């Protein structure tokens, strides 16, 4: 019984488990974006588009209220960068405490101007 005999079965099994767990999170949380945040999206509060630093890329930040029972994931920030041939989305989940700290930092940055 050598490991080499089981290797052709181990790699596909890990792949199937990884894909299966992600599909489970999509179904459990109610969609692809919600699975990326790890919690269902209750509602989208709004969106802020960044001032264009170049004509080739647009950047926006969407703010979501996340559902579920966990206070660890209360706010979802969705950073979206789009260009002619690409789309990138990066989800960030914040707790209520982290969101309030971010608010303080943003207010501090804008008060100094």
């Amino acid at each position: 019984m050598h490991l080499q005999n089981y290797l052709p079965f181990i790699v596909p099994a890990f792949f199937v488990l990884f894909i299966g767990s992600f599909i489970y999170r999509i179904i459990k949380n109610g969609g692809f974006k919600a699975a990326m945040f790890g919690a269902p999206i209750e509602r989208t509060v709004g969106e802020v588009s960044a001032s264009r630093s170049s004509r080739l890329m647009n950047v926006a930040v969407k703010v979501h209220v996340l559902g579920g029972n966990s206070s660890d994931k209360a706010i979802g920030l969705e950073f979206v960068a789009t260009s002619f041939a690409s789309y990138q989305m990066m989800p960030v989940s914040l707790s209520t405490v982290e969101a309030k700290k971010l608010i303080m930092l943003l207010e501090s940055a804008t008060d100094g101007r």
Side-chain angles (χ1 to χ4, degrees), residues 6-19:
Y6 297 107
L7 195 57
F9 301 106
I10 293 174
V11 174
F14 279 118
F15 182 74
V16 168
L17 284 173
F18 176 76
I19 297 297

Side-chain angles (χ1 to χ4, degrees), residues 32-70:
F32 180 77
K33 276 188 200 177
M36 297 292 285
F37 284 115
I41 297 174
E42 279 187 9
R43 65 185 170 92
T44 300
V45 177
E47 177 179 336
V48 176
S49 295
S51 59
R52 294 184 180 196
S53 56
S54 75
R55 290 184 233 188
L56 299 176
M57 181 168 283
N58 295 321
V59 178
V61 179
K62 296 179 183 179
V63 180
H64 305 286
V65 175
L66 301 178
N69 298 333
S70 176

Side-chain angles (χ1 to χ4, degrees), residues 22 25-27 29-38 41 87 89 91:
F22 193 70
R25 289 191 314 187
I26 289 173
I27 293 168
N29 294 316
F32 180 77
K33 276 188 200 177
M36 297 292 285
F37 284 115
I41 297 174
Y87 175 87
M89 189 271 272

